[in-house]
Amino acid sequence: VAWVELVAGLVSERAALIVIEDLHWAQTDLLDLTEQLERDVDGPLMLVCTARPELLDARPSWGRHRRATTLWLEPLARPDATRLVMDVPIELRDVVLGRAEGNPFFLEEILARIDEGGVLGPTTIPDSIQAVLAARIDQLPAVEKRALQAASVVGRSFWREAVQELLGGAQPSFSLLEERDFVRPRLGSSLQGLRELAFKHALTCEVAYGTLPRARRVRLHAAFARWLENVTGGGDEHATVLAHHYYEAVDADYTDVAWAGDQVELAELRELAIRWLGRAAALAISRYEIDEALTLLKRALELETGDAARCALYRTIARANALKFDGEAFWNAMETAAELAPDEATRAEIVSHLAVEAFVRAGMWTKTPAIEQIGGWVARALELAKPGTASRARALTAKSSLDLDDREAAAEAALIAERLDDPELCVHAWDACGAVAMVAGDYESAWRWRTRRLELLDRVTDPDLRTIIGETPYASCVATGRFEQAREVALLHDRLTESLTPHHRMHGAAILVEVEELLAGWDAIRARERRVIDAVAANAATPCLRNARSLLVCALAAACLQDDERARQLELAADELGQLGRQVLDAPRLRLALIRGDRARAEELLAGLLDERGWYARGHGTSLATVTARLDALALLGHRDRVEAEARRLLVPGTYVEPFALRALGAVRGDALLKQQAIDRFERLGLRWHVAQTRELIVT
C-alpha cells in the first residue's frame, strides 16, 4: 500500500515512468505490486517491463488489461545489428553478427568477450550467454527439457516426430517450447507429411546439445540416423546428414561407455557410418565441394580397418586432391593406396593412374616431381600391368608423355584404348599421340588426334574430363593455320568450365587469351583483362601455373599496345604469386624483354628456355608460344648457329611456325628475301602485327 501511495503522490505532480527489467525473475510480491500499480494509481504513469515468455507461466493474464500493450521483440535486422558492432575489427564483424543473430544481449556479451581479449571463433559461446541459456533450459519441465535436448541432436531444424521417436514415444508440449520462445514452427517441411520446427537461435541449440551427457548424445545420434534412414528410404539427398549422425554415433572417445555390452550394434553402426561417409563424399566430389569431400573421407578412414577398403578410400582421396590440384597430397594418397592394394592388378591400376595424372594435371605440382620419380612410376606400372589392359594403356600414355619422341608407346596406348572402347583412356591416349606429333613438327597429325577427342564429348559424362577434352586442341588448330577453329574450341572449353570450380574457370579464361597471344590479338586480350584478374583472384588457393601465366599474357598485351606502366603492374602481380614452372612462365616474359629492348634480361630468360632438362621443360619448351619467342630471341640476340639448327626443321609450308623460322633465318643471315617471304606468309595467315614487326626488322 505504501508503494502505491508513493507512486500516486508522484504522478499527482508530474508524469512518471517506471522501468523494470527481467520481470520473469521476479518473486510473487513484485508481480502483485506491478499489477496493483497499473490498477490503482490514477494519473500519468507508464510502467515498462521487459520479460521472457516464461513470465506468462506464472501470470497467464499478464499484459491483458485494458490499458496494457504487449510488444514481442524480434531479433534486430542485420543493418541495425551492424550499427552496434562498428567498432569491432572488420575481420571479426561477420563472426559477431553471425553468432548473435540479431539478439542484443548476445551482441553485448560477445562484444564484451572481445573487449576482454577473449578469442572469438565460429563456435564461441561466452560464459554469460551459456549460463543464461542453460538456466532457461533448466526451468523447463523434465519432458520438455529432454525434448529440447533431443531436438538439438537432430540440428537447428528438426521434426516433432523425430523428437518423439528419440524420447521413446513420449509426448512433450512443443507449444510450451514455442511459447517460451525456444523454437518456432517452419513453413512447410523438408520431409513430406512431417511437422518441422527450428530453434529460434543457434546458440540455444548449441547450449542444449552441450547439456547432454556424451554417452547419451552418442546413442541419440544413432537413433536419429536410423529413424531418418527408415523414414526417407536413405536417398542421396540425405547422405550428408546420415553420414554426420552415424559418424557421431561411433564417436571413438565414448563408444566404450555408450555401447558397452553391445558390440554387435557398434560394429553395424560403424559400417553404416563408413558407407554413408563414402556416399556423401562421392556426392560432394560430383558437386566439386572438394574440401567437404576430403573431410568426410578422412572420417571414414578413422573408422575403416580393412586394407582393401582403406586402399579404395585413399584412391578417392587422391582423386579429390587431383581435382583440387594439390599435387603432393594426390601423390601421397596414391602411393599409400598402392601399398594397401589387395593384389597386383589393383596396384598396377593405381600406379598407372599416378603416372598418367602427373601429365594430365601437370599444373598441379607446386614442387614438380623429379623425372626419376615419374620414370619410376611409369616403369613400375609397365612391370605390373598385363598386356592389353587399361593399366597398360595408361602406363604407355605416361611413357610417351615422359619421352615425347616415343611415338610407339603413344600408338600402342591408343590401340588398347580403342580396342577396349574406353572413352577416358581414349581421351588421354589420343592426346599423347597429339603431343608426340606436335613435338615432331607433324602438326596435321597432331590436329587430327586432338580434334578427334572432341568426338568423345557425347560419351563422356564426367564434367572435369570434358574440360580436359576441350583444353588442348586449340594449339594444333593454330599450328595448322585454323585460327577460327582455335577460337571456337577455346569458346567451347570456356563453356565447359563455366559451371565448375574457380580453377576450371581460370583455365577457361586462360585459354581464351592464350589463343589471342599466338595470334597477336592484343586488343582482344585487353578486353578480357578484367576477367583474367578476377579469375586469378578466385583461384588463388589453387597452385595453377596459369594463374601467373595469364597475368603475364595480359602484361604482354599491354606492352604491345604501348602501355608499359600497366604491363609492369600486371607483371608484378604475376611475380607476386611466387609460382614455379620456369619454361611456361618465361615465354611471355621473354617476349616482354624483347619488346622493351632489354637484351640482358632477354639473354637470361633465353638461357632458361634453352634448358630442356626434365619432362616439364621439354613439354612446354615445344609449345608454340615458347618456340616462336625463342626463335625471335635467338635471332635478335645474334645466336646464328642455334637459329640455323632450330629454324630449318620448322620450314613446313602452311604452318603457323614457318614465317617465324623464315624471319629468324633472314635476320641472322641478313637476307632481305627471306624476311620478305616471312612477311608474305604472315600476311597470308592474317597475322598483321607480326607483319609490322618483320617490316621493322627489315628497316633496322
Side-chain angles (χ1 to χ4, degrees):
V1 175
W3 274 102
V4 173
E5 291 176 352
L6 174 64
V7 173
L10 290 173
V11 301
S12 67
E13 299 176 3
R14 60 185 179 275
L17 170 67
I18 298 176
V19 178
I20 305 174
E21 292 190 342
D22 293 332
L23 196 60
H24 52 280
W25 297 116
Q27 299 296 318
T28 302
D29 290 346
L30 180 56
L31 294 175
D32 291 340
L33 173 60
T34 55
E35 289 188 323
Q36 189 174 355
L37 288 172
E38 186 274 334
R39 184 178 63 249
D40 295 345
V41 173
D42 186 16
L45 170 65
M46 175 178 282
L47 282 171
V48 177
C49 304
T50 65
R52 294 192 180 279
E54 291 93 301
L55 174 63
L56 298 178
D57 294 334
R59 292 293 167 100
S61 62
W62 182 266
R64 297 181 183 178
H65 302 293
R66 179 173 56 85
R67 293 184 296 174
T69 301
T70 300
L71 295 176
W72 287 86
L73 299 181
E74 297 297 327
L76 294 174
R78 182 82 174 196
D80 296 325
T82 302
R83 289 167 55 194
L84 301 179
V85 297
M86 294 308 294
D87 293 335
V88 176
I90 193 166
E91 64 271 14
L92 290 177
R93 202 170 293 167
D94 283 343
V95 178
V96 172
L97 293 171
R99 296 300 285 155
E101 291 185 346
N103 185 303
F105 170 65
F106 293 169
L107 275 171
E108 286 183 0
E109 295 305 310
I110 293 172
L111 290 174
R113 181 183 177 88
I114 294 174
D115 291 340
E116 294 165 2
V119 177
L120 183 65
T123 59
T124 299
I125 305 179
D127 293 342
S128 54
I129 297 176
Q130 177 94 23
V132 168
L133 291 175
R136 288 193 65 213
I137 293 169
D138 281 341
Q139 286 187 316
L140 287 168
V143 174
E144 282 68 34
K145 178 180 177 180
R146 289 174 55 222
L148 200 68
Q149 291 173 320
S152 73
V153 171
V154 177
R156 179 78 183 269
S157 296
F158 59 92
W159 299 269
R160 295 185 181 196
E161 293 82 355
V163 172
Q164 291 165 350
E165 175 74 15
L166 298 188
L167 296 181
Q171 300 291 318
S173 173
F174 291 101
S175 60
L176 175 63
L177 296 177
E178 290 181 46
E179 289 168 7
R180 295 203 180 179
D181 221 23
F182 286 109
V183 304
R184 290 183 172 181
R186 298 193 66 180
L187 294 175
S189 174
S190 55
L191 295 180
Q192 189 173 3
L194 302 184
R195 291 166 293 179
E196 188 167 352
L197 298 97
F199 281 87
K200 181 180 177 182
H201 202 289
L203 294 182
T204 304
C205 179
E206 292 172 28
V207 171
Y209 188 75
T211 62
L212 276 167
R214 291 294 296 268
R216 173 159 173 73
R217 189 188 302 175
V218 164
R219 295 190 76 95
L220 286 174
H221 276 293
F224 174 69
R226 290 192 182 281
W227 176 88
L228 182 62
E229 190 171 3
N230 181 58
V231 167
T232 64
D236 283 350
E237 65 272 24
H238 301 291
T240 301
V241 176
L242 288 166
H244 165 73
H245 287 285
Y246 276 124
Y247 175 75
E248 292 295 331
V250 291
D251 186 324
D253 293 334
Y254 291 88
T255 50
D256 290 344
V257 176
W259 304 108
D262 204 349
Q263 294 304 302
V264 174
E265 174 77 356
L266 176 60
E268 184 178 336
L269 288 169
R270 185 175 283 115
E271 287 182 12
L272 287 166
I274 293 168
R275 181 204 306 168
W276 282 110
L277 286 164
R279 184 59 191 149
L283 292 167
I285 290 172
S286 71
R287 299 189 301 268
Y288 285 88
E289 295 170 356
I290 305 301
D291 288 335
E292 178 186 341
L294 288 170
T295 297
L296 293 165
L297 290 166
K298 288 171 183 175
R299 287 180 174 179
L301 271 178
E302 292 174 19
L303 304 175
E304 184 55 75
T305 57
D307 283 353
R310 288 176 65 82
C311 171
L313 284 170
Y314 272 110
R315 292 180 69 177
T316 308
I317 289 171
R319 161 77 173 155
N321 279 305
L323 291 173
K324 192 180 178 181
F325 261 53
D326 188 338
E328 189 170 353
F330 163 76
W331 172 357
N332 291 334
M334 287 297 271
E335 290 205 317
T336 303
E339 292 172 5
L340 294 169
D343 51 59
E344 292 298 285
T346 303
R347 188 168 289 109
E349 190 176 335
I350 293 168
V351 178
S352 66
H353 271 294
L354 175 56
V356 81
E357 288 282 347
F359 301 99
V360 172
R361 302 180 198 280
M364 73 177 166
W365 304 106
T366 304
K367 176 186 175 184
T368 305
I371 190 169
E372 294 81 11
Q373 180 73 47
I374 298 175
W377 295 338
V378 171
R380 191 175 175 201
L382 287 171
E383 177 186 344
L384 292 170
K386 294 184 178 180
T389 61
S391 295
R392 180 165 177 82
R394 280 188 292 269
L396 290 166
T397 297
K399 184 174 185 290
S400 67
S401 300
L402 186 61
D403 179 2
L404 290 167
D405 294 321
D406 194 343
R407 302 188 76 164
E408 290 183 4
E412 185 183 346
L415 188 64
I416 294 171
E418 291 164 19
R419 186 181 299 134
L420 295 175
D421 194 27
D422 185 321
E424 181 176 353
L425 290 178
C426 287
V427 167
H428 300 317
W430 292 353
D431 190 60
C433 290
V436 296
M438 285 288 287
V439 169
D442 185 356
Y443 298 134
E444 280 293 329
S445 290
W447 173 80
R448 284 194 296 273
W449 281 114
R450 284 185 160 167
T451 55
R452 184 183 179 190
R453 298 202 310 167
L454 298 173
E455 300 170 7
L456 297 170
L457 281 173
D458 291 339
R459 298 184 59 196
V460 171
T461 57
D462 180 353
D464 176 67
L465 187 59
R466 286 168 63 82
T467 67
I468 291 172
I469 290 172
E471 188 165 343
T472 56
Y474 82 90
S476 57
C477 292
V478 171
T480 56
R482 296 174 171 92
F483 298 160
E484 287 311 307
Q485 186 182 22
R487 289 187 169 108
E488 290 170 5
V489 169
L491 288 170
L492 168 65
H493 175 261
D494 191 37
R495 289 195 297 273
L496 291 171
T497 65
E498 62 187 2
S499 63
L500 301 182
T501 66
H503 180 237
H504 288 96
R505 294 193 292 275
M506 174 69 252
H507 276 229
I511 287 176
L512 290 172
V513 297
E514 286 173 18
V515 170
E516 298 302 334
E517 173 193 9
L518 294 174
L519 304 182
W522 311 126
D523 288 318
I525 295 172
R526 172 62 70 89
R528 290 193 167 102
E529 180 184 297
R530 183 72 257 167
R531 162 124 188 247
V532 167
I533 292 170
D534 290 345
V536 170
N539 192 47
T542 304
C544 177
L545 290 170
R546 277 195 162 110
N547 287 343
R549 195 181 193 287
S550 299
L551 292 173
L552 290 170
V553 171
C554 290
L556 178 57
C560 292
L561 294 171
Q562 300 182 333
D563 186 355
D564 196 53
E565 180 180 356
R566 182 58 178 160
R568 291 187 185 278
Q569 291 172 351
L570 290 162
E571 189 176 11
L572 178 61
D575 292 344
E576 287 176 345
L577 295 176
Q579 292 178 307
L580 305 176
R582 184 172 189 167
Q583 285 74 12
V584 69
L585 298 181
D586 281 358
R589 285 179 175 140
L590 176 58
R591 185 71 72 185
L592 278 166
L594 294 176
I595 290 169
R596 293 168 179 157
D598 187 343
R599 295 180 66 88
R601 176 65 170 155
E603 285 282 13
E604 176 189 352
L605 292 166
L606 179 61
L609 289 174
L610 293 174
D611 182 0
E612 294 187 348
R613 289 174 295 179
W615 64 270
Y616 200 76
R618 180 75 193 283
H620 286 284
T622 56
S623 72
L624 295 179
T626 301
V627 167
T628 55
R630 190 167 61 192
L631 268 178
D632 285 348
L634 287 168
L636 291 172
L637 297 173
H639 295 277
R640 177 167 182 169
D641 291 345
R642 189 70 188 234
V643 169
E644 293 284 355
E646 290 202 13
R648 287 181 182 176
R649 65 184 181 83
L650 298 175
L651 293 174
V652 181
T655 63
Y656 170 80
V657 296
E658 181 196 14
F660 290 93
L662 289 168
R663 183 168 70 185
L665 287 169
V668 296
R669 294 177 185 176
D671 189 329
L673 179 59
L674 285 174
K675 295 176 188 176
Q676 185 57 51
Q677 288 177 354
I679 290 172
D680 293 342
R681 302 297 194 279
F682 279 130
E683 286 183 335
R684 192 178 303 163
L685 291 169
L687 299 174
R688 294 185 177 83
W689 186 81
H690 287 294
V691 169
Q693 293 290 299
T694 311
R695 290 193 190 284
E696 289 182 17
L697 187 62
I698 292 177
V699 172
T700 56

